[in-house]
Amino acid sequence: MVKQYADVIIDISHDKVDRPFQYRIPPELAGEVYPGVRVHVPFGKGNLDKAGYVVDISGHTDYPEEKIKSITAVDGKGITAQGSQIQVAYWLKRQYGSTMIAALKTVLPVKQKLKQLEHRKVTRCMEGEALLEALRQCEKKHQTAKARVLQALMTDEVLPYELIRQKLNVAPATLAALEKQGCLKIEAEAYYRNPVKCAPGEEKRVIPSRTQQEIIENVIGDYRAGKPGTYLVHGVTGSGKTEVYLGIIEQMIRMGKQAIMLIPEIALTYQTLLRFYRRFGDRVSVINSSLSQGEKYDQIRRAKARELDVIIGPRSALFTPFPDLGVIIVDEEHESSYKSESMPKYHARETAVQIASMHRASVVLGSATPSTEAYYRAKKGEYKLFEMTGRHGASRLPRVYTIDLREELKQGNRSVFSRKLRELIGRRLQAGEQSMLFLNRRGYAGFVSCRACGHVMKCPHCDVSLSEHRGNMLLCHYCGYEEQRAASCPVCGSKYLLGFKAGTEQIEEALYKEFPGVRVLRMDADTTKSKESYEKILSAFADKRADILVGTQMIVKGHDFPDVTLVGVLAADLSLNQNDYRAGERTFQLLTQAAGRAGRGDKPGEVVIQTYQPEHYSIVHAAMQDYQGFYEEEITYRELMQYPPAAHMLAVLITSRQQEQGEALSREMAAVIDARMRADGESAGEDTAETKAETEKAWQRLQVIGPAEASISKINDQYRHVFYIKHPDYQVLVRIKDILEHFCKEKELKNQTVQYDFDPMNTY
Ligand code: ADP
Ligand code: ZN
Ligand code: ZN
């Protein structure tokens, strides 16, 4: 197919990406026009000469041929920074499926009329006893925000204002009040000259171990030799990966290069930030969800202007337009938050590799529990693998007990705590040490049903059961729908409408009953509706204002509590029962991470894993902290079932207002693939024997599963149908996606939407 038409956007002014206009590519410019190239075109009635960017090219047009104007010239200066961002957007669109506009919006920063972000610093004005006394006063008056600031200033004389605002979550008024009290002073501007003057010599410079040195030298050596690669650093939490990242970035900066450091949002803690600030000063900045659009844009402007060397942030920081990108680091690369949940549903790991190859930069992936994908590629030699074993310093891996809950029941123990866990909690309380109890389950899943007829109370808008909450309310976790709990069953009228309590609330209650006087903090979707409440709970626990922290998986990520010596996992296998090919991997990762929370300080840690399936390989290997053993079993299963990474999988999700419409569309789409499969087999007859065999082979290995109703068949009154396509070659799936996109475009769908998800993190 000759691609003789180009979509050109005249004005990419960030704030609103304009609609593209189609132009003809004149034959003499064929081959020079592709996405990202700057071109000149005649525009509007007067055919004014305007410059624009090519964002897409295609072989067909929806306009009458005679109305299309031609591109007049190609800008000969090569691809600009803007152009290379458009190329990334184009790649996202092709690779993951979305409109070009959606892809551009993902990549390009949002511009807003904004005032220049002020750079301010906060300096402490009190020392020793006086400061301690001020802190005591604040604590006495329960001025927790003030206390947080003073605490931070105890360790550092000077801190960036923004750091305090964002990471400590302190309001400007609070800082102003502290200034009035004479505890600190706020100064503007100086930030630029001498931004993060942490008390001199504060950074604890460590001498890299032999392993650390080897990794740094390898990455930098390859880079200097003009052979930047992708590297996977496998090392347990505390093995010194961050030191490796710091070392690599430092060398890159020396070569005049910049670095992007990706961290899952939830793990982007104050401590981590401070480590980077201490090493690199004001040449480091952060992009995360707590920044305003204006602040975000300002960071991007600084990056472009070479005012920054390092940007730290979650997924979206990947698109920071550094002029001389040297390395992209993806910490905790296994985290599912690296996959975008809206279209284009890109994965930051793969996108990092793509962006790095465009800039001839290196990619360093790090994890204690690498994703099956990354480890598989490393084993195949696509990535260079480095193993870091053991923790630094005194802290050792914890001792793990796996408890069979069926045995407990046989022994007559009906409590949520096994005897072992109860005993160990008791000991911790006596010793004044902290524990964390982790319920492997999202939210609070206590559904309500009728004991007489079995009717389950469901959300009228979603295909999910409602959850019971304190105060006799029933809540839908998908759409927020709420209703008063009925007194009797709406179907049979029986009075026995009861809730199945299971979840963090129940555990909290059980703790109060079993250990009178215990101080418990609870952290789950209910208690952390806002980001502040999340940080409040964490800092309260860090300040030892509670003995036990109970929570869902959000408590196992990233946070360092040196005084936690016991971690209990209450229902380790709940996540195994999800009908999902990644369930085993997710369970292993969660358990390994949870176990890693115990004994981070000098005291040894213990872990109790309670489960109904102690023999499951995810649990067995997690208990032994044996990644290799887990990986071997997992990859055998993926290979057998042709799941990623052994093959690739495309999920096509169709949502519709009317159930029948969605069902019909999903069937039609599956039929399109089927027809295409046959047609391609036949038309291959015109090709050479070799390509014919190849085409046939390609289609033969295609598997279509479904269409069927999604496992949650309705959300927010939208019906959901899904089908899956599996194939070993990713590009074959991209072609199928193109065919389906084309088909849907022709159909001009109104009340239906189609989403594509390559190698999905969850099944639908
Ligand atoms: P990870 O990122 O793998 O969790 P870190 O890099 O945070 O590990 O290291 C864990 C702890 O060990 C940190 O306190 C760090 O300062 C310390 N550490 C790391 N490498 C060394 C080293 N070579 N010598 C001394 N201490 C080190
Ligand atoms: Zn009933
Ligand atoms: Zn709902």
Side-chain angles (χ1 to χ4, degrees):
M1 188 167 59
V2 192
K3 306 236 168 160
Q4 68 245 40
Y5 303 101
D7 285 342
V8 176
I9 291 187
I10 308 293
D11 180 24
I12 298 195
S13 61
H14 310 292
D15 45 343
K16 72 169 197 301
V17 177
D18 241 352
R19 170 175 92 81
F21 295 92
Q22 212 168 33
Y23 285 90
R24 187 182 297 108
I25 305 173
E28 66 272 18
L29 292 181
E32 284 180 64
V33 177
Y34 48 89
V37 170
R38 227 167 93 96
V39 292
H40 286 271
V41 292
F43 189 73
K45 282 218 178 75
N47 281 338
L48 288 171
D49 175 61
K50 290 230 178 199
Y53 281 99
V54 176
V55 294
D56 203 352
I57 51 173
S58 62
H60 51 85
T61 171
D62 305 331
Y63 302 102
E65 185 66 30
E66 65 278 8
K67 286 208 173 154
I68 297 183
K69 300 174 196 173
S70 288
I71 292 174
T72 35
V74 169
D75 199 321
K77 282 187 230 120
I79 298 285
T80 61
Q82 182 105 79
S84 89
Q85 284 186 295
I86 291 169
Q87 289 180 330
V88 172
Y90 186 69
W91 182 85
L92 287 178
K93 170 207 135 121
R94 283 274 302 153
Q95 194 80 354
Y96 297 104
S98 77
T99 63
M100 190 60 198
I101 296 291
L104 283 169
K105 284 189 173 155
T106 305
V107 170
L108 296 175
V110 188
K111 184 182 176 179
Q112 287 193 336
K113 283 185 215 81
L114 47 101
K115 52 178 188 340
Q116 167 102 31
L117 186 71
E118 270 191 284
H119 297 286
R120 282 174 287 182
K121 62 171 185 173
V122 173
T123 313
R124 80 165 176 242
C125 300
M126 280 179 180
E127 300 298 324
E129 253 317 297
L131 187 62
L132 215 58
E133 183 50 34
L135 178 62
R136 265 186 230 122
Q137 286 299 325
C138 293
E139 277 171 349
K140 210 149 119 214
K141 293 183 205 151
H142 297 290
Q143 298 170 327
T144 53
K146 280 188 181 174
R148 282 203 297 282
V149 177
L150 295 180
Q151 201 126 46
L153 285 174
M154 305 242 299
T155 25
D156 294 283
E157 190 187 343
V158 185
L159 286 166
Y161 186 85
E162 293 308 318
L163 193 76
I164 295 182
R165 284 272 294 111
Q166 290 147 24
K167 291 321 296 178
L168 291 185
N169 203 352
V170 174
T174 310
L175 283 168
L178 281 171
E179 189 172 28
K180 231 175 164 177
Q181 288 176 350
C183 300
L184 52 82
K185 64 176 188 285
I186 303 166
E187 288 165 304
E189 236 286 301
Y191 188 95
Y192 250 82
R193 276 177 280 122
N194 195 358
V196 200
K197 211 172 81 197
C198 300
E202 262 299 313
E203 197 207 348
K204 190 185 87 191
R205 285 300 281 246
V206 301
I207 299 156
S209 68
R210 175 121 43 106
T211 315
Q212 286 168 327
Q213 193 60 33
E214 194 188 305
I215 301 172
I216 297 169
E217 276 169 11
N218 240 289
V219 173
I220 296 298
D222 286 354
Y223 186 84
R224 281 187 201 276
K227 285 181 292 194
T230 303
Y231 309 84
L232 173 62
V233 182
H234 173 211
V236 296
T237 320
S239 62
K241 294 186 296 298
T242 307
E243 285 301 324
V244 170
Y245 307 151
L246 289 166
I248 291 170
I249 293 172
E250 191 160 41
Q251 302 257 11
M252 284 289 176
I253 292 175
R254 271 195 214 141
M255 290 187 271
K257 303 290 167 186
Q258 297 98 35
I260 295 172
M261 173 86 211
L262 297 189
I263 292 185
E265 177 109 37
I266 200 159
L268 187 54
T269 57
Y270 178 72
Q271 278 87 0
T272 313
L273 267 186
L274 210 54
R275 253 170 111 177
F276 279 83
Y277 274 108
R278 283 194 175 135
R279 180 75 61 99
F280 304 116
D282 70 332
R283 307 283 299 174
V284 180
S285 193
V286 190
I287 286 193
N288 67 358
S289 63
S290 69
L291 298 193
S292 70
Q293 291 293 356
E295 287 170 323
K296 268 183 209 165
Y297 186 75
D298 206 43
Q299 305 319 304
I300 284 164
R301 191 190 53 71
R302 292 175 71 199
K304 257 189 185 158
R306 295 176 188 269
E307 286 172 27
L308 293 178
D309 295 322
V310 188
I311 198 100
I312 308 177
R315 199 173 65 216
S316 62
L318 198 51
F319 304 114
T320 308
F322 277 126
D324 283 306
L325 183 64
V327 65
I328 303 176
I329 292 169
V330 186
D331 191 27
E332 317 231 21
E333 64 74 32
H334 62 275
E335 276 292 321
S336 59
S337 64
Y338 281 127
K339 178 86 186 253
S340 166
E341 284 178 347
S342 56
M343 301 249 281
K345 297 189 177 182
Y346 70 92
H347 198 294
R349 185 194 325 114
E350 295 156 8
T351 310
V353 172
Q354 172 67 17
I355 292 176
S357 84
M358 290 170 63
H359 288 85
R360 304 195 59 71
S362 312
V363 177
V364 178
L365 311 170
S367 176
T369 51
S371 61
T372 314
E373 266 88 353
Y375 210 71
Y376 182 74
R377 305 228 164 94
K379 289 244 161 175
K380 284 208 311 190
E382 277 177 54
Y383 303 166
K384 254 196 211 179
L385 179 64
F386 297 106
E387 304 271 359
M388 296 181 79
T389 41
R391 280 183 182 179
H392 244 283
S395 63
R396 301 242 246 92
L397 290 174
R399 156 139 209 211
V400 183
Y401 307 91
T402 307
I403 306 296
D404 188 342
L405 287 174
R406 294 166 304 189
E407 266 318 299
E408 290 293 309
L409 206 62
K410 264 193 218 151
Q411 304 291 326
N413 178 13
R414 290 173 178 278
S415 146
V416 292
F417 308 118
S418 60
R419 289 160 299 171
K420 184 81 195 170
L421 182 57
R422 193 184 304 137
E423 174 202 327
L424 293 183
I425 293 174
R427 276 204 231 149
R428 291 308 180 285
L429 291 176
Q430 267 170 9
E433 292 170 9
Q434 290 182 301
S435 311
M436 281 166 90
L437 298 182
F438 162 55
L439 184 72
N440 186 4
R441 171 179 256 185
R442 270 163 224 238
Y444 179 77
F447 63 101
V448 174
S449 75
C450 169
R451 299 290 152 91
C453 77
H455 175 73
V456 174
M457 299 299 289
K458 281 194 156 188
C459 173
H461 307 289
C462 309
D463 173 36
V464 291
S465 50
L466 292 167
S467 301
E468 188 183 34
H469 281 252
R470 270 184 194 158
N472 259 354
M473 295 303 286
L474 298 181
L475 180 77
C476 170
H477 280 296
Y478 283 84
C479 72
Y481 169 85
E482 245 181 326
E483 67 177 37
Q484 193 81 36
R485 190 178 152 156
S488 57
C489 171
V491 174
C492 74
S494 154
K495 290 266 184 297
Y496 294 95
L497 198 59
L498 298 173
F500 282 92
K501 275 207 166 180
T504 43
E505 282 191 45
Q506 187 207 11
I507 294 161
E508 189 184 2
E509 279 168 22
L511 281 171
Y512 290 134
K513 224 161 76 199
E514 301 233 9
F515 305 100
V518 66
R519 298 171 306 161
V520 181
L521 279 166
R522 178 162 66 88
M523 185 153 180
D524 55 25
D526 283 345
T527 59
T528 55
K529 289 231 167 65
S530 69
K531 195 158 166 81
E532 292 111 77
S533 47
Y534 173 79
E535 304 216 344
K536 255 184 217 153
I537 296 172
L538 288 178
S539 61
F541 192 59
D543 293 348
K544 301 191 87 174
R545 277 180 267 146
D547 309 303
I548 301 177
L549 177 62
V550 177
T552 51
Q553 55 249 53
M554 57 177 85
I555 66 171
V556 302
K557 313 244 156 131
H559 303 279
D560 235 346
F561 300 111
D563 292 309
V564 170
T565 54
L566 172 66
V567 169
V569 184
L570 290 155
D573 39 83
L574 274 180
S575 59
L576 285 176
N577 301 332
Q578 294 162 355
N579 175 26
D580 198 323
Y581 74 99
R582 290 185 194 266
E585 177 174 353
R586 206 153 33 228
T587 303
F588 176 80
Q589 286 166 352
L590 276 171
L591 294 183
T592 311
Q593 276 176 15
R597 298 289 112 203
R600 299 299 296 275
D602 320 323
K603 296 169 217 146
E606 287 180 305
V607 178
V608 177
I609 296 177
Q610 302 191 158
T611 172
Y612 288 99
Q613 301 173 60
E615 66 289 335
H616 191 283
Y617 68 92
S618 292
I619 290 173
V620 171
H621 292 300
M624 297 193 302
Q625 311 262 308
D626 171 19
Y627 179 81
Q628 292 284 344
F630 164 76
Y631 174 80
E632 295 302 335
E633 294 210 33
E634 184 66 24
I635 201 68
T636 308
Y637 156 71
R638 303 274 181 103
E639 267 165 355
L640 188 71
M641 302 299 292
Q642 285 294 289
Y643 279 128
H648 292 282
M649 184 154 105
L650 167 62
V652 183
L653 177 72
I654 293 116
T655 59
S656 60
R657 267 254 168 257
Q658 252 118 39
Q659 185 166 16
E660 307 75 45
Q661 274 188 359
E663 198 179 332
L665 179 62
S666 61
R667 277 218 221 94
E668 274 178 74
M669 288 174 78
V672 165
I673 302 172
D674 204 46
R676 207 35 203 263
M677 218 146 68
R678 269 185 238 131
D680 262 38
E682 281 156 26
S683 76
E686 297 147 28
D687 300 336
T688 62
E690 205 174 306
T691 55
K692 179 181 173 182
E694 255 171 40
T695 314
E696 270 177 7
K697 216 167 94 196
W699 289 107
Q700 266 167 20
R701 301 198 61 183
L702 197 72
Q703 288 179 53
V704 181
I705 302 142
E709 277 188 0
S711 57
I712 298 174
S713 66
K714 186 174 76 165
I715 293 180
N716 246 328
D717 289 321
Q718 296 281 337
Y719 291 90
R720 293 149 52 89
H721 291 83
V722 68
F723 63 94
Y724 298 92
I725 309 156
K726 287 197 259 183
H727 197 278
D729 182 353
Y730 193 98
Q731 289 311 317
V732 170
L733 294 181
V734 169
R735 261 167 62 203
I736 290 171
K737 179 262 302 168
D738 289 344
I739 293 167
L740 293 176
E741 269 184 339
H742 185 70
F743 171 78
C744 291
K745 203 175 157 202
E746 305 256 285
K747 277 193 77 102
E748 296 183 7
L749 303 176
K750 291 238 167 51
N751 295 317
Q752 290 141 307
T753 59
V754 177
Q755 291 187 33
Y756 301 95
D757 192 349
F758 284 81
D759 295 346
M761 300 308 280
N762 300 292
T763 45
Y764 288 89

